[in-house]
Amino acid sequence: MIVSVADYAGFCFGVKRAVEKVEELIDNGEKAYMLGPLIHNSQVIERFKKAGINVADLEDIKEGNVIIRTHGVEPGLIAQLNSLNLNIIDCTCPNVKRVHKAVQNFSDKGYFTIIIGEHNHPEVEGIRGWCGKDVKIIENVEEAKNFYTNKKVGIVVQTTQTEENVEKIMEILGKRLDIASFENTRCAATQQRQKAASELAKKVDIMLVVGDKQSANTKNLVKVCQKAGARVYHIQTAADIRKDWFTAADKVGITAGASTPDWIIKEVIFRMDELNKELNNQENQNELAKQEEGETVNYDNTFTDLKEGDIVEGTVVKVDNNEVMVNIGYKSDGIIPVSELSNSAFESAEDVVKVGDKIKALVLKLEDNEGNIILSKKKADEVIGWDELEEIYNNQGEVEGTVTEVVKGGVLVDVKGVKGFIPASHLDLRYVPDLNAFLGQKLNLNIIELDRNKNRLVLSHKHVLEKERDALREETWANIQEGQVIKGVVKRLTDFGAFVDIGGVDGLIHISDLSWQRVNHPSDIVKEGQEVEVVVLKVDKDRQRISLGLKQALSDPWEDIEKKYKVGSVIEGRIAKLVNFGAFVEVEPGVEGLVHISQISNQHVNKPEDVLKEGDIVKVKILEIDPEKKRMSLSIKEAENELNKEESKQSFEKPKDNGITGITIGEMVGDIFENKKE
């Protein structure tokens, strides 16, 4: 019989936090009162009572510590406790407090509040106390069908509700009500437990759901597992387990509600282990009886002897924040403390292993104070890893490692469970100013030094990169041809051009081949690290030189220049450069024309800079275009003359406004004579 434990079984964060607070009181020798059971687990509450932590009503509490249960209470009760000057220890689950804030917000906005949850459940009653007067608890589909309001509605969910119930109720309410806000306040831990339990229930014959009969989240786990198709037994402790349940079962799953402590779960697992042995012994006795009748017996299930230092293989049956439980086919399961899981850093044990994983572990202790076998996965990984690394080192092979830490002079790396060192000079082909950039990276490595006795492992990423670069170079030189258009990465800029890596080989783009327009410095066009598409202009394999062109990969702006510009037309341009004999004007990127000094102005010009400066926008007239020589002759003075002619023409054609528009000269003279006669 195979027994598996579902993920996320047992205490959730909120319950664990609350229990730890109470246990801290007990450790300090303090007494306290609980306003109702802290959690829905009678075994835990009984333990607390024996330690002096008792359940009491408010009127019975006169002084001392008072504990608010995980389910929370209404604000009026908190006010009463404060008025009595009691020391309040608030163990309300953070997720429940989030629901309290949500319903307060609904009330402030004037919404009618709906709580999807169980009537009379302490969590729901506590939530109700934080609502305004307009509030309704809806537990099932029938209640949803029978409710209506014309007010805007805000909806929250009891943290332990099943997804199925919430979806069914919301489907109905969504059609009947004006829902202003829906806060799906189901606890994430509840969702995880229900999902994991459902998945396991689909794979087993029987599911044992461990938890108090009053626990809402445990009862919902039962429903989830039943829906998944398993035969389900809801038990509170290992004492509830009956042997006859499992006579025809091959696979059994175990899950537990969020209020079930680890020690109860362990007792259930231990009891199942005992039952498994009893059932196996019974099968063996049956086999012996058959042997007496002449039939053969299979002894494969007998236990093997173990000793400290052995490496065993097993199946992970439980994972929590403190330890991992592994079934190794022995008389008891093995325990791996989280400190013995891995040499690599991890946030949660589930980042390393999951329930159902097959793993290898080294036996540290055959029996601790509680009778458990203590195992170490990280030490087994080291032993197995060293064996593999020695073989790789002898064969000069490569190995993958993950950078875990920056130290003086280099970085530490996890390689097959073994801690290795990469010197800074062996991290890359070039100097690396900040080694932190490699943290978390997976690198292919060569082993340059290995001493198992001294626990010394030195590796190089640079050697691997050099091999890759050399192989790439060979391929590039074998295939490169003039006229090819290829991609590369700009590696370095100089005053005379840019060096580009085109596959392990650096080619040069001369500054004159960077752009069709005038370039003062390569940085005006490209940046280091930029990917560019270039044309191979020249290949000199003997001298190991390659000339590249960036502008050649782009269209030449001088093509069809005569279609874009006409001789005699006036256009606008920018002064790109001043020389003794004139000024070069850029009419578009890559196309410049010369304004000879004699064409700058109608007045005599000694030097172009006397009347122009670089960057000026000017009007020019095209005097000549030579596409083959890529030359254009321009004139500023001719453009000005053209513009002046145009302005004069417009001025002559348009009458001036002298205030007597519309009166002829004859009429004016006639009026003068008439005035004299008078």
Side-chain angles (χ1 to χ4, degrees), residues 280-348:
N280 284 336
N281 287 336
Q282 186 174 336
E283 289 178 9
N284 289 337
Q285 288 174 5
N286 292 336
E287 292 293 333
L288 287 171
K290 291 178 182 178
Q291 185 185 33
E292 291 175 0
E293 296 174 5
E295 297 184 20
T296 59
V297 182
N298 185 353
Y299 292 101
D300 289 343
N301 293 325
T302 57
F303 295 118
T304 57
D305 290 332
L306 286 182
K307 62 181 182 295
E308 292 181 4
D310 284 352
I311 292 178
V312 295
E313 186 171 2
T315 303
V316 176
V317 294
K318 186 175 181 294
V319 180
D320 63 28
N321 293 329
N322 300 314
E323 63 187 24
V324 172
M325 191 174 293
V326 185
N327 182 352
I328 57 173
Y330 198 59
K331 60 184 178 182
S332 62
D333 289 332
I335 302 294
I336 304 177
V338 288
S339 59
E340 293 295 329
L341 262 181
S342 175
N343 276 321
S344 298
F346 57 88
E347 292 184 5
S348 166

Side-chain angles (χ1 to χ4, degrees), residues 127 166 181 267 290 319 343 448 511 536 539 588 631 678:
I127 295 169
V166 174
S181 179
E267 284 180 354
K290 291 178 182 178
V319 180
N343 276 321
I448 55 179
I511 191 169
V536 179
V539 177
E588 69 171 69
R631 291 178 181 174
E678 292 176 0

